[in-house]
């Protein structure tokens, strides 16, 4: 149960430093919804989601009002739909996305994740059909998020899937061109995807999870930034220790909220994801944390080292606060969702190449990046391949969420709205990668995969 003393310790952080619970996400297994009849399968999916998540939003709102802790999002993640729908006698997987969207609206959640496929080593029938349906599914739904895992450290990179995803992202951007490619903001491509991620757009409920779980994502860039202002000029040992102590406090709050939600919903507690997830609000930026360490602008030389320190210190502090830290846990660097990143990108200091270097040491990857609408599918695939290679070789999760915006070019700004923020259109290299992508096949797993 929550202790009022614990809550009082966080009042200043909540009131002045943008501390919040970014999401309570209920993971729901849909493996028992499998049916050869697609209509029956959709019916079972809708019924189970609505039954399990019926009280999710109200419970989150009750905790929020009783203890004064902002809970920004209430979300649902489900078993990858490619697995659930694989036995259905249908070639059209769009109705499954429409069912998820309808269930999410009935439950009142902000997003539902799991319109997903795991194709890091090849394609099953359900995988191919789901990938084919992604552009229409993203265009016809409001709350459904999609993810595709195209590589892993143990399997290598499925380059056929990489090539497909470049074309899928382009088609999704075209079908949602009236909203500046907003469908692409709900689509992420992973290497080493995790099964318990509570954050969108990449959340899905892994097959190794319980029938249903509660996962909580905490956020607090503003708290870390405020803490670092008290140790100006101090050596990095002091900086790291300050971040660790702050991450401990943030994670404890997440642990308490997760335990309370688990108790009230009678659903097992899964994990706390202690990622520093920024918002477009001033004072809630990961970029500003890095600049507080002494960088003039995020993206300049030294940025990768500063981010490495931040990510490591957050993990060390969080792991002491909870025995069930999971998800992605570290620091996110989504360009459109971080006002400091936006400013750095607009100034030209922060480039895609620098962001790629930063992803070697942060939680995920190239996130919420807008690129010119005439960027080719092959170039997008090559960006995905580069990012997947970083994840594969380093044994970490990496991802790409990229938005080619039709009719816009470098220097234009795309307004996404809400937590998605605004994205400056960033330049990509014009030299072609088409011959590289056309080879297909698999990039073999690295030597690190042989751990037995």
């Amino acid at each position: 149960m929550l202790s009022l003393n614990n809550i009082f310790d966080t009042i200043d952080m909540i009131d002045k430093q943008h501390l919040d619970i970014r999401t309570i996400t209920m993971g729901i297994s849909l493996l028992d919804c499998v049916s050869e009849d697609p209509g029956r399968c959709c019916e079972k999916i809708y019924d189970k989601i609505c039954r399990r998540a019926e009280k999710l939003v109200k419970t989150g709102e009750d905790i929020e009002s009783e203890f004064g802790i902002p809970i920004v999002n209430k979300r649902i993640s489900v078993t990858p739909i490619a697995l659930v729908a694989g036995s259905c006698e249908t070639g059209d997987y769009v109705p499954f996305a429409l069912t998820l969207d309808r269930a999410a609206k009935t439950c009142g959640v902000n997003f539902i994740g799991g319109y997903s496929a795991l194709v890091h080593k090849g394609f099953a029938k359900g995988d191919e059909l789901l990938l084919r349906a992604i552009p229409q599914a993203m265009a016809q739904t409001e709350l459904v998020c999609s993810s595709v895992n195209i590589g892993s450290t143990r399997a290598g990179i499925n380059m056929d899937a990489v090539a497909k995803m470049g074309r899928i992202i382009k088609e999704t951007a075209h079908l949602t061109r009236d909203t500046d490619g907003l469908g692409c903001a709900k689509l992420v491509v992973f290497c080493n995807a995790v099964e318990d991620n509570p954050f969108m757009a990449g959340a899905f409920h892994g097959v190794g999870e319980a029938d249903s779980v509660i996962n909580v994502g905490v956020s607090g860039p503003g708290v870390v930034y405020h803490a670092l202002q008290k140790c100006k000029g101090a050596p990095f040992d002091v900086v790291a220790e300050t971040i660790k102590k702050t991450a401990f406090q943030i994670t404890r709050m997440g642990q308490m909220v997760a335990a309370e939600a688990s108790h009230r919903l009678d659903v097992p507690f899964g994990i706390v994801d202690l990622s520093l997830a920024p918002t477009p609000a001033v004072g809630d930026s990961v970029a500003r944390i890095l600049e507080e360490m002494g960088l003039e602008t995020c993206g300049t030389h030294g940025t990768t080292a500063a981010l490495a320190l931040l990510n490591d210190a957050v993990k060390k502090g969080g792991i002491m606060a909870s025995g069930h830290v999971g998800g992605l846990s570290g620091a996110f660097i989504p360009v459109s969702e971080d006002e400091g990143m936006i400013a750095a990108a607009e100034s030209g200091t922060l480039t895609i190449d620098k962001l790629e270097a930063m992803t070697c040491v942060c939680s995920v990857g190239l996130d919420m990046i807008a690129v010119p609408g005439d960027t080719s599918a092959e170039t997008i695939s090559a960006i995905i391949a580069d990012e997947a290679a970083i994840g594969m070789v380093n044994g970490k999760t990496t991802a790409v969420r990229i938005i080619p915006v039709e009719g816009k070019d470098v220097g234009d700004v795309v307004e996404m709205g809400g937590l998605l923020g605004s994205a400056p259109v960033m330049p990509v290299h014009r030299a072609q990668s088409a011959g590289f992508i056309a080879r297909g096949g698999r990039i073999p797993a690295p030597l690190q995969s042989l751990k037995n």
Side-chain angles (χ1 to χ4, degrees):
M1 302 292 287
L2 289 172
S3 162
L4 288 178
N5 289 332
N6 295 130
I7 300 303
F8 292 145
D9 288 341
T10 65
I11 290 294
D12 198 48
M13 295 180 183
I14 292 169
D15 286 347
K16 301 176 182 178
Q17 301 161 30
H18 302 282
L19 179 60
D20 58 51
I21 299 295
R22 185 55 49 84
T23 179
I24 294 179
T25 301
M26 177 179 284
I28 302 172
S29 173
L30 300 181
L31 293 176
D32 55 354
C33 298
V34 171
S35 172
E36 291 184 358
D37 180 349
R40 177 60 180 150
C41 185
C42 286
E43 182 182 326
K44 292 170 72 174
I45 288 171
Y46 177 82
D47 288 345
K48 183 167 186 181
I49 291 172
C50 293
R51 185 172 68 252
R52 288 299 174 91
E54 177 186 12
K55 299 179 181 178
L56 175 62
V57 171
K58 185 179 186 305
T59 299
E61 291 172 346
D62 288 346
I63 294 173
E64 188 174 12
S65 62
E66 287 178 37
F67 300 105
I69 300 175
I71 301 174
V72 180
N73 290 291
K74 295 84 179 175
R75 298 166 170 169
I76 297 169
S77 64
V78 299
T79 308
I81 290 297
L83 300 177
V84 180
S87 65
C88 292
E89 296 179 352
T90 179
D92 182 8
Y93 277 24
V94 174
F96 295 99
L98 297 175
T99 298
L100 294 180
D101 202 49
R102 186 162 59 95
K105 290 174 179 176
T106 299
C107 295
V109 296
N110 305 95
F111 286 109
I112 185 166
Y115 196 74
S116 307
L118 311 177
V119 297
H120 39 282
K121 212 167 182 178
F123 302 97
K125 183 197 79 170
D127 299 324
E128 292 181 332
L129 292 172
L130 184 128
L131 263 62
R132 185 188 305 169
I134 285 174
Q136 285 291 343
M138 295 301 96
Q140 294 182 34
T141 62
E142 295 179 40
L143 306 181
V144 176
C145 292
S146 178
S147 60
V148 179
N149 191 65
I150 50 82
S152 75
T153 299
R154 299 303 293 264
I157 302 172
N158 182 347
M159 290 300 292
D160 293 322
V162 169
K164 283 179 182 287
M165 290 312 301
R167 297 190 292 271
I168 288 167
I169 289 170
K170 285 286 288 185
E171 186 180 352
T172 302
H174 177 69
L175 292 179
T176 58
R177 61 191 179 279
D178 291 343
T179 54
D180 287 333
L182 186 60
C184 295
K186 303 187 295 172
L187 171 60
V188 60
V189 185
F190 276 119
C191 178
N192 289 320
V194 297
E195 296 190 336
D196 55 5
N197 170 23
F199 286 99
M200 299 298 169
F204 64 85
H205 187 70
V207 295
E209 297 286 315
D211 193 62
S212 60
V213 295
I214 289 293
N215 298 320
V216 167
V218 185
S219 184
V223 180
V224 175
Y225 174 75
H226 181 80
L228 289 184
Q229 289 181 313
K230 299 177 181 178
C231 54
K232 290 184 181 294
F236 283 114
D237 312 77
V238 176
V239 172
E241 190 66 22
T242 300
I243 295 171
K244 281 167 54 181
K245 291 177 179 178
T246 306
F248 177 89
Q249 292 177 280
I250 294 170
T251 307
R252 286 303 293 171
M253 188 184 77
Q255 167 87 10
M256 290 185 292
V257 169
E260 185 70 12
S262 171
H263 171 74
R264 295 188 183 197
L265 291 166
D266 194 25
V267 172
F269 162 48
I271 58 92
V272 175
D273 187 318
L274 52 96
S275 297
L276 297 182
T279 72
V282 174
D284 201 23
S285 162
V286 170
R288 299 306 184 196
I289 295 174
L290 305 180
E291 291 168 359
E292 184 62 27
M293 294 186 198
L295 304 173
E296 181 179 353
T297 305
C298 178
T300 192
H301 305 295
T303 299
T304 305
L307 183 59
L309 183 154
L310 173 64
N311 209 53
D312 180 67
V314 165
K315 292 177 187 289
K316 287 175 178 174
I319 205 71
M320 292 298 293
S322 173
H324 296 284
V325 169
L328 300 167
S329 289
F332 288 171
I333 51 171
V335 175
S336 79
E337 299 173 12
D338 185 311
E339 61 86 17
M341 297 283 178
I342 294 169
E346 289 177 335
S347 73
T349 305
L350 185 64
T351 64
I352 289 181
D353 288 343
K354 185 59 178 180
L355 282 165
E356 184 179 296
M358 292 164 66
T359 64
C360 297
V361 299
C362 78
S363 282
V364 195
L366 297 171
D367 196 14
M368 289 302 291
I369 294 173
V371 297
D374 62 356
T375 304
S376 69
E378 292 81 7
T379 294
I380 292 171
S381 292
I383 291 171
I384 293 169
D386 282 343
E387 196 58 37
I390 291 172
M392 175 184 72
V393 171
N394 291 288
K396 67 185 293 292
T397 302
T398 53
V400 173
R401 190 162 45 146
I402 191 167
I403 307 163
V405 188
E406 288 195 9
K408 296 204 172 181
D409 208 338
V410 176
D412 293 329
V413 175
V414 182
E415 295 293 339
M416 297 289 177
L419 287 176
L420 296 177
S422 62
V425 178
M426 302 177 71
V428 299
H429 293 293
R430 289 299 175 180
Q432 293 298 307
S433 310
F436 176 75
I437 296 302
R439 288 179 177 271
R442 283 212 333 259
I443 292 179
L447 189 61
Q448 294 95 304
S449 68
L450 301 176
K451 294 183 178 180
N452 290 335

